[in-house]
Amino acid sequence: QVQLVESGGGVVQPGRSLRLSCAASGFTFSSYGMHWVRQAPGKGLEWVAVIWFDGSNKYYADSMKGRFTISRDNSKNTLYLQMSSLTVEDTAVYYCASNKGSYGYHGMDVWGQGTTVTVSS
Amino acid sequence: QSALTQSASVSGSLGQSITISCTGTSSDVGGYNYVSWYQQHAGKAPKLMIYDVTNRPSGVSNRFSGSRSGNTASLTISGLQAEDEADYYCSSYTSSSHWVFGGGTKLTVL
């Protein structure tokens, strides 16, 4: 079945880095745009970044630009989020989600279960 | 990019209809046909309910419908059921090539 599985979350100290992964299965991963979305404890959804189906374009939320890098390996059906200079404000559940189209414009129709990132000293 | 504006909470009785609004600007909600709505039950991942303003993904009940007037998008749920109780978020593409979510609306079914 269509599935996204995130991994790589954990507890990390402020200022350190972490890489999240999102493994896709059950669909043609290389045909779809992919997003990262996060949700801080008790808060709403916050868009993080998007990457087009072929990796040719990437866009980031202003608060993450320069610190986070989205990438994908279509040969491995895997999406990544490299996060650096982490702060306590980055503590959240991070979801990957596939777009209904090749870019990012349409709805996010398949979501992973999320991976929790806790930034704490 | 500021979050889209949603009311914090809404309630309705079983069988009734409710509407959740999502207000943005001409640079997001009003400017592109890329508004979507998500349902999130406590502790679960979000689920796409409406995309491209009015389209319903396969498998989503036809009790859910989307619309837009100017810079405000709306999600209407008719024939409220107990399982509709959840948080609902709108989202839109923006002129900055970003995506933005609303603050979320908590639906209580009485």
Side-chain angles (χ1 to χ4, degrees):
Chain A
Q1 73 278 23
V2 175
Q3 194 173 10
L4 295 172
V5 179
E6 301 96 336
S7 61
V11 179
V12 61
Q13 293 180 327
R16 304 297 290 266
S17 299
L18 199 64
R19 189 178 83 158
L20 306 182
S21 298
C22 168
S25 59
F27 66 104
T28 307
F29 176 75
S30 59
S31 295
Y32 296 95
M34 296 292 297
H35 295 264
W36 284 100
V37 175
R38 72 183 185 181
Q39 187 168 34
K43 302 297 184 181
L45 301 174
E46 181 181 21
W47 177 74
V48 173
V50 66
I51 185 168
W52 287 8
F53 72 104
D54 58 357
S56 61
N57 278 286
K58 308 169 187 180
Y59 299 99
Y60 301 88
D62 290 344
S63 60
M64 293 140 217
K65 193 170 185 179
R67 297 191 303 124
F68 289 11
T69 301
I70 189 172
S71 62
R72 65 192 298 161
D73 186 336
N74 286 343
S75 68
K76 295 182 178 179
N77 291 339
T78 303
L79 175 73
Y80 303 100
L81 184 69
Q82 178 70 45
M83 305 183 294
S84 62
S85 302
L86 287 165
T87 72
V88 295
E89 286 73 34
D90 295 316
T91 294
V93 175
Y94 285 74
Y95 295 101
C96 62
S98 65
N99 194 258
K100 286 188 67 62
S102 298
Y103 307 101
Y105 303 117
H106 308 290
M108 303 170 197
D109 66 337
V110 180
W111 293 68
Q113 83 289 352
T115 188
T116 300
V117 173
T118 303
V119 183
S120 174
S121 55
Chain B
Q1 179 70 45
S2 299
L4 305 175
T5 300
Q6 296 182 238
S7 53
S9 63
V10 65
S11 62
S13 300
L14 286 169
Q16 285 189 331
S17 296
I18 63 96
T19 297
I20 299 171
S21 63
C22 169
T23 301
T25 69
S26 58
S27 296
D28 39 63
V29 172
Y32 304 92
N33 293 327
Y34 300 135
V35 175
S36 51
W37 289 90
Y38 302 88
Q39 175 192 65
Q40 186 180 35
H41 287 108
K44 301 294 187 181
K47 175 186 177 182
L48 178 66
M49 306 303 285
I50 296 289
Y51 69 97
D52 294 354
V53 183
T54 62
N55 295 333
R56 199 170 45 248
S58 60
V60 172
S61 171
N62 59 10
R63 298 186 298 106
F64 292 82
S65 62
S67 63
R68 181 183 58 191
S69 177
N71 296 334
T72 297
S74 299
L75 173 71
T76 298
I77 309 173
S78 60
L80 272 178
Q81 299 180 1
E83 58 263 34
D84 297 334
E85 185 161 295
D87 293 326
Y88 290 85
Y89 295 89
C90 60
S91 177
S92 177
Y93 174 72
T94 81
S95 59
S96 304
S97 297
H98 290 179
W99 278 256
V100 63
F101 283 94
T105 297
K106 182 177 180 61
L107 169 62
T108 301
V109 180
L110 304 171

